[in-house]
Amino acid sequence: MGMFKAMAKSAATLGAAVMALACIASSAQAQDLLVRGATVATASARGNVEDADVLVQGGIIRAVGRGLSVPAGVPVVEAKGRTLTPALFGGITEIGIEEVSGESSTVDSALKIGEQPLRPEFDVTLAYNPASVLIPVARLDGIGFTALGAATGGGFVAGQGGVVRFDGSADPIGPRALFLRLGAAASELTGQSRAAQWMLLQQMVDEARGQVAADSPHALLTPAGRRTLARYLSGQGRIVVEVDRAADIRQLLRWAAREKVKIAIAGGAEAWQLAPELAAAKVPVFVDALGNLPATFDQIGATLENAARLQRAGVPVAFAQRDDASHNARKMRQLAGNAVANGLPWADGLAGLTRVPAEVLGVADQIGSIEPGKRADLVLWEGDPLDVAHYAEQVWLGGRAMPMRSRQTELRDRYLQRNAQP
């Protein structure tokens, strides 16, 4: 039995490595193609374009329109009216920095240092593994990029993360984001009081601005931490704050206005109660559109109409989920579809999975919509991409066709064949 387990483990490891190498090799060169006759959901101001073509050259979208001519040697994909979208956003996850959540040796998303728990300089993108077996699983559902989020471990200031594409690239794109957690979920990290969070946050701001001596015995930040936080305080990057209660969001808006920092909210179960204020401050919200029950006292006002109410007020709405988001990235389409079923316009549901997160995270110049000059990160769908009864037929990242298989599908096919034998 021990030998069998060892052989199975070796085979699994080898299979994962082969798949990862194939994906990385496929991204080594950009590809030319023309997708013809698609319903192109551009996720831009242009909206949906019926019976349109998309020309890709050198991995970049060159033209979107009807009746485009085909350059010599460019392969053609006949869409036959099916929907073509940008590659989808996987949410704020730990894909590539976590393999098995219950095995600590495979989790690189949280820092736990008792003596210096507040380390904004901590950057989880340095641990990103483009060969993660979670990437093909997510990609099968049309997901082409995610925001790696630092998890709160030793402090309520978790650290930095950034955007990675699932094309086999080893490096993130765009600016970093700083991740914080406020409210009851972080109270154990801040003296069992949310009031202490604002006290500590204010001291860190004072330190970053040189108002507390670096050698003070009461200093909270390292010199590197001061420099990092100072960048965000000067507007170089966005601070993403996980927070739910309306009262905490109100304090957060006041703090952001006073310190003149760019923020976004993740979760925001009660954000709809402050929709006009969020719109006026131009603060986007990553909504968990499956949240409709008061799982905590910070979420008493949770509602399935959260996204729709925010959108009607003019708040930029993107999506992110709680609870093992890395292994359940496929549920992102369900979040958006659920929001649409509860009043959010379909176009805004798609934008919340494409253009809006790209804008919020500073990478909209590269991805998030189907427009000339953007990377050709595309998905051709068998049906409505916001309906989980349908599926992605093909994903292209940088114009390269990604393998539509994963460790899960290979296991399925292996054992289906074995069970089918007489």
Side-chain angles (χ1 to χ4, degrees), residues 25-309:
S26 72
S27 66
Q29 296 179 338
Q31 183 176 341
D32 301 344
L33 76 148
L34 185 136
V35 181
R36 181 157 56 195
T39 299
V40 181
T42 67
S44 71
R46 191 174 179 182
N48 292 0
V49 184
E50 302 287 340
D51 193 24
D53 307 337
V54 175
L55 175 63
V56 176
Q57 292 179 301
I60 303 297
I61 299 169
R62 300 300 179 187
V64 180
R66 295 186 177 92
L68 298 180
S69 59
V70 185
V74 172
V76 176
V77 175
E78 298 290 350
K80 299 180 180 179
R82 291 175 300 222
T83 300
L84 185 74
T85 70
L88 305 185
F89 176 57
I92 301 171
T93 73
E94 299 167 14
I95 297 175
I97 54 176
E98 171 189 296
E99 290 295 322
V100 181
S101 55
E103 174 51 58
S104 61
S105 65
T106 72
V107 179
D108 292 301
S109 59
L111 176 69
K112 298 180 181 179
I113 303 178
E115 295 78 12
Q116 279 283 2
L118 303 175
R119 302 294 291 269
E121 67 269 35
F122 175 57
D123 184 353
V124 298
T125 66
L126 298 175
Y128 177 63
N129 175 20
S132 168
V133 296
L134 299 187
I135 290 174
V137 176
R139 202 166 49 207
L140 278 175
D141 261 81
I143 294 172
F145 70 108
T146 192
L148 297 180
T152 50
F156 73 105
V157 178
Q160 301 175 91
V163 174
V164 292
R165 295 169 63 240
F166 291 159
D167 66 336
S169 300
D171 299 314
I173 62 172
R176 298 294 186 270
L178 180 65
F179 291 86
L180 277 68
R181 179 186 291 181
L182 296 175
S187 65
E188 290 187 5
L189 307 173
T190 53
Q192 298 294 338
S193 172
R194 73 187 73 218
Q197 295 163 11
W198 298 108
M199 177 187 72
L200 295 171
L201 188 57
Q202 188 58 54
Q203 179 175 336
M204 286 188 289
V205 170
D206 291 344
E207 289 185 28
R209 290 189 166 148
Q211 297 172 9
V212 176
D215 58 356
S216 169
H218 305 294
L220 295 172
L221 301 177
T222 65
R226 290 182 175 215
R227 292 192 297 271
T228 298
L229 184 56
R231 290 202 304 270
Y232 290 94
L233 292 173
S234 65
Q236 300 178 49
R238 193 179 292 273
I239 301 177
V240 180
V241 184
E242 182 183 336
V243 60
D244 285 305
R245 197 168 77 169
D248 296 331
I249 294 172
R250 184 179 295 109
Q251 293 294 342
L252 176 62
L253 288 174
R254 292 172 179 171
W255 176 80
R258 183 173 66 250
E259 304 299 341
K260 296 181 173 57
V261 295
K262 295 189 299 183
I263 63 169
I265 289 172
E270 296 186 349
W272 61 272
Q273 297 181 16
L274 293 169
E277 293 90 334
L278 289 164
K282 298 181 180 179
V283 173
V285 180
F286 290 92
V287 175
D288 181 352
L290 297 182
N292 70 324
L293 295 174
T296 72
F297 282 101
D298 283 11
Q299 302 172 29
I300 298 297
T303 172
L304 293 175
E305 296 182 0
N306 193 8
R309 294 178 185 179

Side-chain angles (χ1 to χ4, degrees), residues 311-377:
Q311 182 272 335
R312 284 196 295 269
V315 178
V317 173
F319 297 102
Q321 60 178 315
R322 311 175 196 266
D323 302 329
D324 204 11
S326 303
H327 294 84
N328 291 295
R330 65 185 183 279
K331 291 171 60 177
M332 287 295 291
R333 291 198 295 133
Q334 184 179 355
L335 264 68
N338 206 55
V340 170
N342 286 275
L344 186 70
W346 189 93
D348 291 288
L350 179 65
L353 288 177
T354 53
R355 173 179 51 80
V356 175
E359 290 173 345
V360 173
L361 298 166
V363 294
D365 60 327
Q366 302 180 57
I367 58 177
S369 60
I370 301 178
E371 298 177 275
K374 301 287 183 72
R375 296 189 194 224
D377 291 0

